[in-house]
């Protein structure tokens, strides 16, 4: 049965029309949207940091998150389909940007883990498998073997993001590249690894 998407409600249509327009009407809509995004960002940052009161640093993060979310929304208005209220859809942008900034803040002044740290974690997973989990042990053994066949760039990015839990924004900044470039490298590395595991009759669940 074909599911018909619900039409946007009147308020949501008004938001989109105003933001797609020109003149004072659009300027007012942009201002109100930024205020909404700022409130969402402040709430999310407070929740993630456990801060009981606003500080200058955290408020600056909220403003940055709201600014980035606003740019993303204005550039992606065409993708709004009305499946939810416009404000609910817009809120998600602020929450994602705020979460990314908090993760990035937690790495301020910290050294990135070494690639060897990721290898050690993978080895620990292997040696820590109970005797009855032979399938899991076999899979980890295969990953340890095949991950070395990736290019140095693919291997280092995959290990940093999936084994060492480095936020992609932090890795992009430290390496002087973009999130998009890292996503492409990660995608290619995972694809090659899954293909090698499939050839061996195994599934690449570990790094899915």
């Amino acid at each position: 049965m074909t599911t018909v998407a619900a039409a946007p409600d009147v308020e949501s249509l008004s938001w989109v029309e105003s933001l797609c327009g020109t003149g004072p009407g659009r300027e007012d809509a942009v201002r109100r949207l930024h205020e909404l995004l700022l409130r969402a960002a402040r709430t999310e940052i407070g929740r993630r940091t456990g801060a009981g009161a606003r500080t200058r640093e955290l408020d600056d993060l909220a403003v940055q998150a709201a600014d980035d979310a606003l740019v993303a929304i204005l550039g992606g208005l065409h993708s709004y389909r009305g499946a939810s209220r416009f404000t609910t859809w817009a809120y998600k942008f602020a929450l994602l940007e705020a979460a990314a900034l908090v993760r990035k803040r937690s790495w301020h002044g910290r050294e990135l883990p070494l690639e060897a740290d990721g290898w050690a974690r993978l080895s620990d997973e292997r040696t820590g498998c109970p005797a009855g989990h032979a399938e899991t042990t076999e899979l980890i053994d295969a990953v340890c073997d095949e991950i070395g066949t990736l290019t140095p760039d693919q291997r280092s990015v995959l290990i940093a993001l999936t084994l060492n839990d480095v936020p992609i924004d932090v890795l992009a900044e430290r390496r002087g590249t973009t999130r998009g470039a890292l996503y492409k490298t990660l995608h290619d590395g995972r694809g090659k690894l899954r293909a090698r595991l499939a050839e061996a009759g195994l599934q690449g669940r570990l790094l899915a």
Side-chain angles (χ1 to χ4, degrees):
M1 183 177 66
T2 302
T3 301
V4 179
D9 60 276
V10 174
E11 181 183 355
S12 295
L13 283 174
S14 178
W15 271 109
V16 174
E17 289 174 359
S18 297
L19 292 170
C20 289
T22 58
R26 181 179 187 276
E27 293 176 4
D28 181 64
V30 168
R31 176 187 58 77
R32 289 186 293 114
L33 178 58
H34 189 271
E35 291 175 353
L36 180 150
L37 297 173
L38 184 55
R39 289 197 299 272
R42 281 172 174 158
T43 299
E44 182 67 6
I45 288 173
R47 185 183 72 82
R48 286 181 173 270
T49 61
R54 285 167 53 183
T55 66
R56 177 63 181 273
E57 180 195 5
L58 296 183
D59 210 46
D60 286 345
L61 283 182
V63 171
Q64 183 180 340
D67 291 347
D68 293 345
L70 180 63
V71 170
I73 290 168
L74 294 179
L77 283 174
H78 62 280
S79 66
Y80 175 64
R81 297 288 182 262
S84 61
R85 292 171 62 89
F86 177 80
T87 49
T88 301
W89 178 77
Y91 253 80
K92 295 178 182 178
F93 285 82
L95 300 184
L96 289 173
E97 294 293 346
L101 288 175
V102 170
R103 288 195 300 271
K104 187 175 179 180
R105 172 179 177 266
S106 70
W107 281 81
H108 182 70
R110 289 173 57 185
E111 293 291 334
L112 293 183
L114 300 175
E115 186 175 317
D117 296 334
W119 282 103
R121 289 183 59 181
L122 198 56
S123 296
D124 288 343
E125 289 279 351
R126 174 173 51 190
T127 57
C129 285
H133 290 72
E135 181 181 353
T136 301
T137 303
E138 182 184 9
L139 175 60
I140 296 175
D141 283 342
V143 170
C144 286
D145 291 338
E146 299 298 343
I147 202 170
T149 67
L150 302 180
T151 67
D153 198 38
Q154 289 172 344
R155 186 176 62 249
S156 64
V157 169
L158 186 146
I159 288 176
L161 297 179
T162 64
L163 296 178
N164 286 331
D165 299 322
V166 178
I168 195 165
D169 289 318
V170 172
L171 189 62
E173 182 179 90
R174 302 287 180 91
R175 291 170 68 105
T177 186
T178 65
R179 287 188 296 182
L182 290 180
Y183 278 128
K184 177 65 166 56
T185 301
L186 180 64
H187 174 77
D188 291 345
R190 278 175 165 169
K192 183 176 180 180
L193 187 58
R194 289 194 185 101
R196 296 295 295 260
L197 293 175
E199 290 175 4
L202 297 168
Q203 298 296 321
R205 294 186 302 272
L206 187 66
L207 297 175

